[in-house]
Structures are given as structure tokens and as C-alpha cells.
């Protein structure tokens, strides 16, 4: 804990302090406190009220979201808070002025930024170590790196469910085809998503694991159903199955963590998984085109790089694809992490839960509406899936948009649920506005 808060402090203080126009302050003390200190730093002062709790109105003011709309789909792709936009612009200015500042001379106002710093700040947030992180431009690319890289023998299988996202199943399918492995899909890990329990999920998975299962892929928070998978319990089942297996036969638990990271108050690196992959441009509110791959220390040996890396030549960091990338985005990530840490991960998660619970309760009271996400906060997070009798999810999204309410649905999904995503930029009034619109749609 201590180590993490020092890291957070370093980034928070430094990255945000110096934009106030002053010189960079020494990297000491409590990051969140300094972040919010005097000087109107990046507009971040005032994020916490006198009681030390986030002022959600001030948080909302950080975003350039169109005020004419109610935005309940921001988990799709982040609208960046002001602090992050400023960081990106600051780095872009340097690159435009002199591209030869690469690779080591780009700075946030407090000092150098680069891959090491990015990995250090993310490691602090994930509860892991920088040497166990690789960086990728999205969840999709991170999943591709993991599945493509896993050392696999013909006859081994990747086991996923139809509820996992297209890009997750796609990464597994492409890698399986290449390596002579097999992709086995079960329809779902539960009979009815709204009633899903951890016991049900765990026993369904236990029944499906085989000696040839090389990867079990799950989604921390499913975008198709809103179900939060009990990853720690699943990891126990996988550990049981792995007892006595050689490393090359071990089943790796690969987690698509994108809708859990910064929506759930848990250390992603301590869930018990072997790999956690997440875009940082959704709930973490990071610069677009950024993401992270965490591997358990033992798993590094089991995953080979797909691309030449500019970051490292060995270990997990060497999985990070090289080439010249959107450096102004990637190297601004420490500011997103600092922003989240200033608010506090548990407070952020609690706010997201409070709003999604309001959405679920409200939807459940509307005749003709069915909620497909569990009510229990332990089995859900910030995505609430629902359907309206006689309407496809995408039609509900279109009709809501006519009333300037942004909802979302899964593209090309036969289930076709509509979704309300509640983030820290949202208010109870936003949720209520969506509920009114859904009620009108259901009335016909
Ligand atoms: C569960 C899940 N995984 C992966 C992705 C793809 O994420 P990215 O855009 O970071 O590749 C999405 C897209 O929203 C998703 O919902």
C-alpha cells in the first residue's frame, strides 16, 4: 500500500502541479493532496469537497461532453477529463516542435515521461509491478498479443463463452487457427444473466475445464450482459485443475478486464488471473489508443512476443508492440491514473455502483422492460443491460438518441440488449432522464 501511494503521489503531484505555470514541485508527500492544492492546477482543484469526498459536479465539469445530451455510453470510448487533454496537448506540442525529442526527452511538466513511467503508474493502480506489464494500444491488441503469444501444442484448446466480446473470441480463434489449437465456445456460464451467481458460474466452469484446456478466457465485466464474473473464485477452480500439470499444460486464466478496470474497486493484478488485458481508454479515462497487459510472473515464460518491441527485449514488457506510436497519448497515461487516484478508486467504484443500482431499480419498475444484469452489486458494475418488449436494443438506442439520451447496444449482437453505462461524469439526474425516455418507449 505504502509503495503504491508513494508512486501515486509522485505522478499526481508532479504531473498536475506544474501545469499551473509554476515550476515542478518536489515529488513528495500525498499526491492527491498536492494535485488538488492551490493554484487551480489543470482545473483539478475543487475535485474534492471540504469533507474530502469527490464533488461530482466538479468532476463532471472536467469533461467537454455536449451539455445538450445525456451521456450514458461513455464506457464505449472515454471522453477525457481536462487534466488528460492538457497532458496530451502538452506532449504533442513537444513532438511537433522537435520529433527528435524521442525517445527519452519528452516531459510532463514535472519531469520526464516515457514507457517506464507509464508502466510504473499503471502498476501502482493495478497493484502489480512494472516489470509484469506490457503496453498495447487497446484491449483488442492486448488480447491478440496474449492469445497469439501463448505457447500452445496442437490438440490444446482455448475455452471461452459466447458472452465474451467479439474481439476476445476473435483473438482466440485467430491464434487457435495459427497454432493448430482449437477454440471451444460454451453458450454462456449461466442460465439467466439477471440471476447469475458466483456458485453457478464456478460450477459451470469446473465442469468444462479439460486437461487440454490451455486458456480459459473470461470477461471481468461482460459488455453483453453487464455480469461481473467472479474472477477470484474462477481462479481457484483453475488452480485446482492445474494441480500436477507441467507449465506447458497449465491452463492460463486470461481476463478481458476492460470494463472492470476503474469501475470495480479491486487490484487487477491480484485477482488470481494469469493475464489481465484492458484498454485504458474506457473507464480509466485515459488517452484514446492506450491499454495494458498484465501477466502473472510465472506466465511470462509461457507467452512469446508477436512484435518487435521498442520498450524491452525480454520479459513481459517485451510483448509491447514497437514502432512509433501515438506517444502524446501513451505518455500522458500517468495523468489519467493520477486523476483516478485523486478521486479514490473505492469512491469511484461506489459512485458507479450507486448510479447503476438506480438505473436497475428504475428500469425494473417500468412495465414491458426486462433487466438482464444482476441486481447484486457483487455480480455487476457500471453496465446495465435491459430490453424493452417488442423493440430491438439498437432501436431503443436510436429512439433514445432522438430525445438526446445516449445509450448503447452491442453492435451486431443477436441478444440485442440496450445498455446504460454509468460513469463518474454522470449524475442521478442523468439516470432519471434515461428512465423517463425508456418509460416512454415502452409505452409505445
Ligand atoms: C468486453 C469488451 N472487450 C473488448 C472491447 C474492445 O476494446 P478496445 O476498444 O479497447 O479494443 C470491448 C469494446 O467495447 C468490450 O466491450
Amino acid at each position: 500500500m505504502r509503495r503504491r501511494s508513494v508512486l501515486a503521489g509522485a505522478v499526481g503531484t508532479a504531473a498536475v502541479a506544474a501545469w499551473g505555470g509554476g515550476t515542478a514541485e518536489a515529488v513528495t508527500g500525498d499526491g492527491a493532496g498536492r494535485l488538488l492544492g492551490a493554484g487551480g492546477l489543470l482545473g483539478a482543484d475543487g475535485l474534492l469537497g471540504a469533507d474530502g469526498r469527490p464533488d461530482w459536479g466538479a468532476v463532471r465539469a472536467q469533461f467537454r461532453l455536449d451539455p445538450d445530451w445525456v451521456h450514458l455510453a461513455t464506457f464505449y470510448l472515454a471522453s477525457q477529463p481536462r487534466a488528460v487533454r492538457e497532458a496530451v496537448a502538452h506532449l504533442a506540442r513537444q513532438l511537433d516542435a522537435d520529433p527528435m525529442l524521442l525517445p527519452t526527452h519528452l516531459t510532463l511538466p514535472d519531469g520526464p515521461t516515457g514507457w517506464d513511467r507509464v508502466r510504473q503508474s499503471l502498476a501502482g493502480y493495478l497493484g502489480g509491478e512494472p516489470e509484469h506489464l506490457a503496453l498495447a494500444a487497446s484491449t483488442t491488441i492486448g488480447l491478440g498479443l496474449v492469445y497469439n503469444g501463448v505457447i500452445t501444442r496442437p490438440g490444446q484448446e482455448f475455452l471461452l463463452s459466447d458472452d465474451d466480446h467479439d474481439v476476445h473470441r476473435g483473438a482466440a480463434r485467430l491464434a487457435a487457427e495459427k497454432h493448430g489449437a482449437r477454440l471451444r465456445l460454451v453458450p454462456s456460464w449461466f442460465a439467466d444473466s439477471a440471476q447469475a451467481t458466483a456458485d453457478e458460474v464456478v460450477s459451470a466452469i469446473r465442469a468444462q475445464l479439460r486437461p487440454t484446456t490451455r486458456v480459459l478466457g473470461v470477461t471481468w465485466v461482460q459488455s453483453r450482459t453487464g455480469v461481473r464474473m467472479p474472477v477470484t473464485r474462477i481462479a481457484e477452480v483453475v488452480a485446482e485443475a492445474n494441480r500436477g500439470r507441467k507449465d506447458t499444460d497449465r491452463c492460463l486464466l486470461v481476463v478481458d478486464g476492460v470494463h472492470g478496470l476503474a469501475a470495480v474497486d479491486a487490484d487487477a493484478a491480484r485477482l488470481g488471473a494469469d493475464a489481465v488485458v484492458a484498454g485504458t481508454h474506457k473507464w480509466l479515462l485515459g488517452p484514446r489508443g492506450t491499454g495494458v497487459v498484465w501477466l502473472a510472473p510465472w506466465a511470462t515464460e509461457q507467452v512469446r512476443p508477436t512484435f518487435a518491441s521498442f520498450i524491452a527485449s525480454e520479459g513481459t514488457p517485451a510483448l509491447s508492440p514497437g514502432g512509433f506510436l501515438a506517444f502524446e497519448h501513451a505518455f500522458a497515461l500517468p495523468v489519467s491514473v493520477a486523476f483516478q487516484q485523486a478521486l479514490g478508486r473505492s469512491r469511484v467504484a461506489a459512485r458507479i455502483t450507486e448510479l447503476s443500482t438506480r438505473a436497475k431499480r428504475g428500469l425494473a419498475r417500468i412495465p414491458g422492460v426486462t433487466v438482464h444484469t444482476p441486481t447484486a452489486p457483487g455480480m455487476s458494475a457500471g453496465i446495465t443491460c435491459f430490453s424493452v418488449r417488442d423493440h430491438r436494443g439498437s432501436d431503443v438506442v436510436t429512439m433514445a438518441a432522438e430525445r438526446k439520451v445516449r445509450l448503447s447496444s452491442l453492435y451486431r449482437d443477436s441478444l440485442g440488449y440496450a445498455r446504460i453505462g454509468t460513469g463518474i461524469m454522470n449524475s442521478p439526474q442523468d439516470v432519471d432522464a434515461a428512465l423517463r425516455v425508456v418509460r416512454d418507449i415502452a409505452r409505445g
Side-chain angles (χ1 to χ4, degrees), residues 75-77 137-141 143 163-168 219 221-224 256-259 278-282 290 383 410 419:
F75 65 89
Y76 197 64
L77 184 59
S138 64
T139 325
T140 306
I141 294 174
L143 289 167
D163 288 329
D164 298 307
H165 196 273
D166 271 4
V167 302
H168 193 173
T219 306
V221 178
Q222 296 183 344
S223 48
R224 193 184 200 203
D256 171 350
V258 69
H259 297 301
T280 44
H281 50 196
K282 296 188 194 276
T290 58
I383 300 177
L410 259 191
R419 303 179 297 189

Side-chain angles (χ1 to χ4, degrees), residues 61-97:
Q62 282 261 324
F63 295 86
R64 282 196 296 207
L65 287 161
D66 184 340
D68 291 343
W69 284 74
V70 173
H71 300 269
L72 290 162
T74 55
F75 65 89
Y76 197 64
L77 184 59
S79 170
Q80 293 156 1
R82 181 176 168 214
V84 177
R85 295 197 307 273
E86 296 279 345
V88 169
H90 181 79
L91 288 164
R93 272 196 296 277
Q94 294 166 62
L95 276 168
D96 287 334

